[in-house]
Amino acid sequence: MALLSAFLRTARMARHTSRLAAAGLPADEEVLLDAPDHRLGPVLVAAARGEYAPAADLLAATRESAEWEDRDRYAVRLAAFARSRDEWLRQWQAAGPHDPDLLLVRAELAVRRGWESPARVELLREVGPLIMSAAEGDPHDPVPWRIALDHARGTNARHTEFERLWAQAVRRSPHHYGCHVAALQYLSAAWYGSHRECFDFAETAAQDALPGSLVQALPVRAAFAYLTEGGGPEVPRERLDAAADLAVSVSAAYAAADPWPAEVRNLLVYVLVRLERRQDALEQLRLIGPYVTSFPWAKVSDDPLGRYLELRDGVRLEAASGLPPRDRAPGRLPRIGYGGLVRSVDH
């Protein structure tokens, strides 16, 4: 039985025993999936009432103060909300069709909808002008160029075109996390590169990153891609461990239960479990606190929160047992194929 399956099976058997109440971990009912931060929460509440002004004010504030990382995250969350409830977005468009913040959300929404369609390439090509309109809305904003990078990957853009877009993105913000993630996905073995190219890019970017930047944790995303895309002999175990070690260091620079590094910490837990580093995984679970993110758990389950909770229970049970890692030959990984737990997720 592969590693993750074993964790989940153990958790199901002992989920309601007293041994699951490990110190420092919140109760299941306290754990939240994709919880908004204190700025975004009220905006989503207002949008649910059909009000667009708080969203417009929030994005305008991030643009005016060059808070590009926050701006990117908020645009993604607002576009995700608009996929099911877009009354507020339609009212915003009627009131200010050329608002650069509106154009940004519309571009993100259009790209995400295109990715979901069987006619992905055709639909994405149609939204190219909308992305360029968003980019023209503020020449200093790197976020439309991150959207353009995602768009280019979905339209099978050649390397030369992707490199042109990448140059535009880093000219505006050399260390923007979202743009680096988009480039890493393009270079992954699942798309237009290889595991080696993916790691080379991630490690170089991490070395050049600013202190405290989440770009420093980029190699752990390369490790995740390797572990979920079939693996192979191309990347040695030592390189995977080094990626995890670096992400552990980045995580340590942030406070526990901080929503900002939550996605990196969730991703790191997955990688550490696959590397059979259960004590390290348990520490990251403590640091995550109540902030669970859809990525990476939506990659392995249709119920990301439920899968996270099951995995968390399995990790803390095994860590509490004090058992050493399972025997394996030096440098070898646990078996990659674990009972269909990795699903194909295009975007």
Side-chain angles (χ1 to χ4, degrees), residues 108 111-112 114-115 120-122 124-125 131 145-159 161-163 165-166 178-193 221 229 295 299 345-347:
E108 175 67 22
V111 168
R112 288 183 169 268
W115 271 95
R120 184 191 72 216
V121 174
E122 292 78 6
L124 286 178
R125 285 175 177 161
I131 298 172
W145 296 99
R146 191 273 301 158
I147 298 173
L149 292 171
D150 287 339
H151 175 265
R153 179 165 55 91
T155 55
N156 304 325
R158 295 179 180 274
H159 279 62
E161 172 62 12
F162 195 89
E163 289 168 2
L165 297 172
W166 170 251
C179 291
H180 279 79
V181 170
L184 190 75
Q185 290 175 311
Y186 185 89
L187 291 171
S188 70
W191 287 96
Y192 308 109
R221 289 192 73 113
E229 293 168 9
F295 181 79
K299 177 82 171 180
V345 178
D346 282 338
H347 190 52

Side-chain angles (χ1 to χ4, degrees), residues 2 111 126 199 232 254 259 288 320:
V111 168
E126 292 175 3
F199 266 90
Y254 292 89
I288 286 170

